[in-house]
Amino acid sequence: MIVLQALCTNRRGGISKEVEACPCPKKNGWPRHVSMEHTAVEMTGVDRTGLMSEISAVLSDLGCQVTAAVAWTHNARVACIMYIEDASKGGRITDPNRLAYIEEQLEIVVEAHHGEGERRSVRLTAPMAGKTHTERRLHQLMYADRDYELCRGCDASFGHWKGCSGIHVCIESCKEKGYSVVNVRSLDRPKLLFDTVCALTELQYVVFHAAVSSKGAFADQEYFIRHEDGCTLDTEIERRRLTRSLIAAIERRVSHGLRLDISTQNRMGLLSDISRIFRENGLSITRAELWSNGERASGTFYVMDASGHEVNSNTVALVRQEIGGSSLVVNNSQASSSSLSRTSSSSLDEKPKFSLGSLLWSQLERLSSNFGSIRS
């Protein structure tokens, strides 16, 4: 399958009509494009059990209502974005002194368990016009936090891919055309193309041609790229950095642990209460999405126990009882790095329900409109 449309800012300028019409928040899922009328709290640092509970508790104590939140964890690092508003008055928080105080208190929480010299950041962005793509921003935050440094490419050549479910990146030079050719093979999943292009964009590479295909459980991506200044990847340092960045971008969205879906009445301190219950029952959040839509709030959390193991049924029962059985739906399949990697060669003939190839054309226009500059 050949991609003929450039993955860049829409040539007509601005964002596409599809993006402009994207509701915020979405009624049936995470709002990818979030209105920037709310204050955004952005945080990165070392992942640890109870961090989201502590942050959301501080925000609640300071009179801030969390209207949406999303968190990713990868390589023992965490990136989190929360959109907040004034709990008493509703709407945006504009007082610069109050914003500075909120940021100061959050920094105290994040710094509490960080050693000297360890990377961490907390930032509040004032309300502004327009929208931001939250998942794109998460990629930026984790890349800036250098979560890719622990990623290592597989030494296997393309000829030894059969039956292997790891992420493989191969970079070759096409000097006669003035391109570098990047080949990526990984397990197929929704939003794989988006995550890969995010990595290329953050490193300021321009995609001139691309071929994407999927077969069974795997997806193959090929990109002909140059740096924005017209240069190709000529040094081993550049190639290693791009390889690790691509692997990290693909790994970040992989969910580890038990999936818990929550739908309940929206109220002040909801995220604080939910994350506190997880913490008190010894659960660590590996990925989280929470959004509100009027009087209702919905969310998806992936949790593991504090030791990184699967959650036992007794703990699940206690959590359900405290949150409210009718508000919590448990997905009994526990996703983990080990279970995701156990893919035999026979699975090559088993096509996933939602594959990269089947979704590519329906999503291409949206993708091609979203990779211009984004505020950082």
Side-chain angles (χ1 to χ4, degrees), residues 34 39 64 99 173 177 223 245 256 273 280 286 307 334 349:
V34 178
T39 302
C64 302
L99 291 173
S173 177
K177 298 292 185 179
Y223 298 93
S245 296
H256 304 275
D273 291 340
E280 291 176 349
T286 63
S307 301
Q334 302 220 25
D349 298 324

Side-chain angles (χ1 to χ4, degrees), residues 40-196:
V41 179
E42 299 179 347
M43 184 278 297
T44 60
V46 176
D47 185 29
R48 60 179 172 82
T49 301
L51 180 59
M52 178 172 283
S53 172
E54 295 174 15
I55 291 175
S56 54
V58 169
L59 290 172
S60 181
D61 290 343
L62 294 174
C64 302
Q65 170 73 353
V66 177
T67 60
V70 59
W72 288 356
T73 61
H74 178 244
N75 278 345
R77 310 295 298 178
V78 59
C80 178
I81 300 176
M82 296 182 182
Y83 296 96
I84 62 174
E85 64 180 11
D86 191 297
S88 58
K89 302 176 183 178
R92 61 183 65 185
I93 301 173
T94 57
D95 182 356
N97 293 326
R98 185 182 179 189
L99 291 173
Y101 183 71
I102 294 171
E103 184 173 302
E104 178 185 345
Q105 295 304 303
L106 292 175
E107 285 178 345
I108 293 174
V109 173
V110 174
E111 290 175 1
H113 295 270
H114 278 68
E116 186 176 352
E118 285 186 328
R119 299 189 305 275
R120 60 187 181 271
S121 69
V122 177
R123 189 181 79 152
L124 268 69
T125 59
M128 62 187 72
K131 298 177 181 179
T132 188
H133 196 295
T134 305
E135 293 176 344
R136 169 88 188 279
R137 185 68 186 130
L138 280 169
H139 275 299
Q140 285 185 321
L141 291 174
M142 299 208 85
Y143 174 76
D145 192 53
R146 304 202 300 273
D147 72 314
Y148 58 86
E149 290 184 344
L150 294 178
C151 292
R152 293 174 175 83
C154 181
D155 294 330
S157 65
F158 285 117
H160 295 91
W161 271 356
K162 186 175 182 180
C164 179
S165 59
I167 303 170
H168 302 259
V169 178
C170 178
I171 302 174
E172 299 176 336
S173 177
C174 183
K175 292 183 178 180
E176 63 275 14
K177 298 292 185 179
Y179 299 128
S180 291
V181 183
V182 179
N183 286 277
V184 182
R185 164 164 273 217
S186 66
L187 286 174
D188 194 7
R189 60 165 174 77
K191 300 185 181 181
L192 178 60
L193 179 61
F194 175 88
D195 295 335
T196 305

Side-chain angles (χ1 to χ4, degrees), residues 3 12 53 88 105 136 219 228 252 256 295 328 351:
V3 179
R12 296 185 296 274
S53 172
S88 58
Q105 295 304 303
R136 169 88 188 279
E228 286 183 349
R252 286 171 194 149
H256 304 275
E295 297 182 354
L328 181 66
K351 193 173 182 67

Side-chain angles (χ1 to χ4, degrees), residues 267-288:
R267 56 181 169 79
M268 174 66 181
L270 177 62
L271 179 60
S272 176
D273 291 340
I274 293 173
S275 54
R276 174 185 54 80
I277 291 171
F278 290 157
R279 174 174 54 83
E280 291 176 349
N281 284 278
L283 300 183
S284 179
I285 299 172
T286 63
R287 183 178 167 194

